[in-house]
Amino acid sequence: MKKVRVLSIDGGGIRGILPGTILTFLERQIRQLTGNPDAKIGEYFDFVAGTSTGGILGLIMLCPDANGGYRFSAKEALDLYLDQGDEIFDVTVGEKVKRMGGLRDERYSQKELERALFTYFGETRLSEAKKPCLVTSYDIRNRTAFFLTSEKAQSDVGDFYFRDVARATSAAPTYFEPAHIYSIFGTPHTLIDGGVFANNPSLCAYAECRKLDFAAILKNENKPKMPSAKDMMIVSLGTGSVKTPYYFKEFKDAGLMKWVQPLIDIMMSGNSETVDYQLRKIYGTLPAKHSEDYYRIEPVLQNASADMDKADLQNLKALHEDGLLSVSRNQDQLNAIAKKLVEYA
């Protein structure tokens, strides 16, 4: 029996360059191992989950081409950030003043983001995803976590355009306005960034996979039906650990204005750390041959800014450099992952 290969990618705005760089390395290793110079990273995962920028990366990996193959490589996914990141997170001085840095209005217009998403995805629907997937978002009208999944997308009520799924999961409060999107059936939804409750969607991915019949979905009798932890290999990629310290003397009399940004920082990193803790405990109960199939790689921000929207050319380059450093520091682990991804195919 072959294990289900699960990829989960955290949220983190422009810091998506970091997991994008890691996935590009993994794809290159897979091509060497298989002798297939055209192999694409999406082919070597059976399920993909993503939040915010991680959701966008995941959707790019699972986008079909006109012939039913995988349209984009990991490098092409990375290029969205390196080539267009400065345009997506661009704002004039006049707009900055008008928006008061996000206090009066969202910091950025969604137009450039939506343009980029349309360029990549066009009319592709979630039901057309090459592999099962889950993308997180939050419904602010009905006050509930909203999971956009390929399973639900088999019905028009739960099916959406890729571009709208990507827009919804990346609608970070104060950065972009909420996404007002419609299902293929025509049902309206008002959604924001899934990072408000699941910045690390690995546990969501685990729960979703538990109920899926991968043998039937993938048309591969060697894959399990409703897999448990021992039947899954999970690769969880972070977008750079943020450990800005906050001191008592600075916050003992802090009000709402001062707490807003630190709270966003703490909630996002705290969620990611908690999910990692929970999955390590789950895999820690398994026999040794299975317990090593959970991987969490959290890149270190050494040269780049931790700001999710700092997309000037200098920081884009610095983020790519930090991604390459993370590859170097985790090379043995990444080589082991690449071998398993091929082995469990």
Side-chain angles (χ1 to χ4, degrees):
M1 188 67 68
K2 300 286 189 177
K3 294 198 176 191
V4 172
R5 302 159 296 176
V6 179
L7 173 65
S8 173
I9 313 173
D10 286 14
I14 197 62
R15 299 201 317 260
I17 287 172
L18 297 164
T21 303
I22 291 170
L23 289 168
T24 300
F25 174 81
L26 280 176
E27 185 175 78
R28 187 162 62 245
Q29 294 304 101
I30 288 169
R31 289 176 174 179
Q32 291 179 1
L33 289 168
T34 61
N36 178 6
D38 298 317
K40 294 189 171 69
I41 190 69
E43 300 175 66
Y44 288 86
F45 284 101
D46 302 311
F47 186 93
V48 177
T51 288
S52 193
T53 195
I56 294 175
L57 282 169
L59 290 168
I60 293 174
M61 289 168 48
L62 299 182
C63 190
D65 64 19
N67 299 314
Y70 290 78
R71 184 176 177 188
F72 298 110
S73 66
K75 177 63 169 60
E76 289 170 317
L78 175 61
D79 285 345
L80 169 64
Y81 296 83
L82 294 177
D83 296 343
Q84 300 184 51
D86 60 327
E87 297 175 6
I88 292 170
F89 291 103
D90 185 32
V91 62
T92 64
V93 174
E95 283 293 304
K96 281 185 179 180
V97 173
K98 179 182 175 181
R99 299 170 186 269
M100 295 179 64
L103 293 176
R104 184 177 179 179
D105 200 350
E106 63 274 356
R107 297 184 191 184
Y108 305 100
S109 166
Q110 72 279 8
K111 291 180 181 178
E112 283 301 321
L113 174 60
E114 290 177 352
R115 182 191 59 78
L117 295 176
F118 187 83
T119 298
Y120 266 71
F121 299 134
E123 302 296 320
T124 303
R125 298 181 180 186
L126 189 56
S127 56
E128 299 176 278
K130 292 294 295 177
K131 294 283 180 64
C133 60
L134 175 150
V135 177
T136 67
S137 192
Y138 191 86
D139 185 328
I140 59 173
R141 181 176 181 273
N142 296 304
R143 288 301 305 275
T144 184
F146 196 83
F147 298 100
L148 300 121
T149 71
S150 52
E151 183 190 36
K152 292 178 184 176
Q154 300 313 305
S155 162
D156 282 354
V157 175
D159 198 9
F160 296 83
Y161 289 111
F162 260 40
R163 62 178 186 266
D164 288 339
V165 175
R167 174 71 177 89
T169 193
S170 59
T174 76
Y175 291 91
F176 295 105
E177 70 177 30
H180 190 65
I181 66 173
Y182 293 82
S183 69
I184 300 302
F185 182 76
T187 308
H189 298 272
T190 303
L191 306 173
I192 63 171
D193 194 321
V196 297
F197 72 96
N199 199 56
N200 176 351
S202 301
L203 204 55
C204 298
Y206 171 79
E208 186 73 14
C209 287
R210 290 284 285 115
K211 66 177 185 179
L212 298 180
D213 182 349
F214 282 91
I217 294 171
L218 302 177
K219 298 179 174 59
N220 184 345
E221 61 182 14
N222 292 318
K223 292 292 182 178
K225 177 181 180 180
M226 293 184 288
S228 61
K230 66 179 177 60
D231 305 309
M232 295 185 215
M233 171 192 180
I234 298 179
V235 179
S236 176
L237 301 180
T239 55
S241 55
V242 181
K243 296 294 183 182
T244 302
Y246 302 110
Y247 299 103
F248 173 75
K249 64 181 181 180
E250 297 173 0
F251 283 85
K252 63 177 182 175
D253 297 313
L256 178 63
M257 294 296 293
K258 188 160 187 175
W259 268 112
V260 169
Q261 191 57 47
L263 276 177
I264 293 173
D265 175 11
I266 291 167
M267 285 191 295
M268 291 179 67
S269 61
N271 167 267
S272 294
E273 293 157 8
T274 300
V275 170
D276 179 44
Y277 171 85
Q278 291 165 328
L279 281 169
R280 288 188 188 280
K281 291 297 181 182
I282 290 172
Y283 274 78
T285 66
L286 303 177
K289 67 176 182 177
H290 300 301
S291 64
E292 296 178 357
D293 276 337
Y294 168 66
Y295 297 91
R296 171 67 178 174
I297 297 179
E298 182 65 275
V300 175
L301 291 166
Q302 182 169 313
N303 302 299
S305 167
D307 292 346
M308 294 191 298
D309 60 338
K310 188 169 177 52
D312 58 86
L313 296 179
Q314 182 177 351
N315 199 53
L316 294 179
K317 181 180 179 181
L319 283 165
H320 193 208
E321 289 173 353
D322 283 348
L324 293 172
L325 280 173
S326 294
V327 166
S328 178
R329 289 168 177 162
N330 295 281
Q331 190 155 350
D332 290 344
Q333 194 175 34
L334 290 170
N335 287 337
I337 290 171
K339 288 179 181 178
K340 287 184 178 182
L341 290 176
V342 173
E343 178 188 343
Y344 295 153

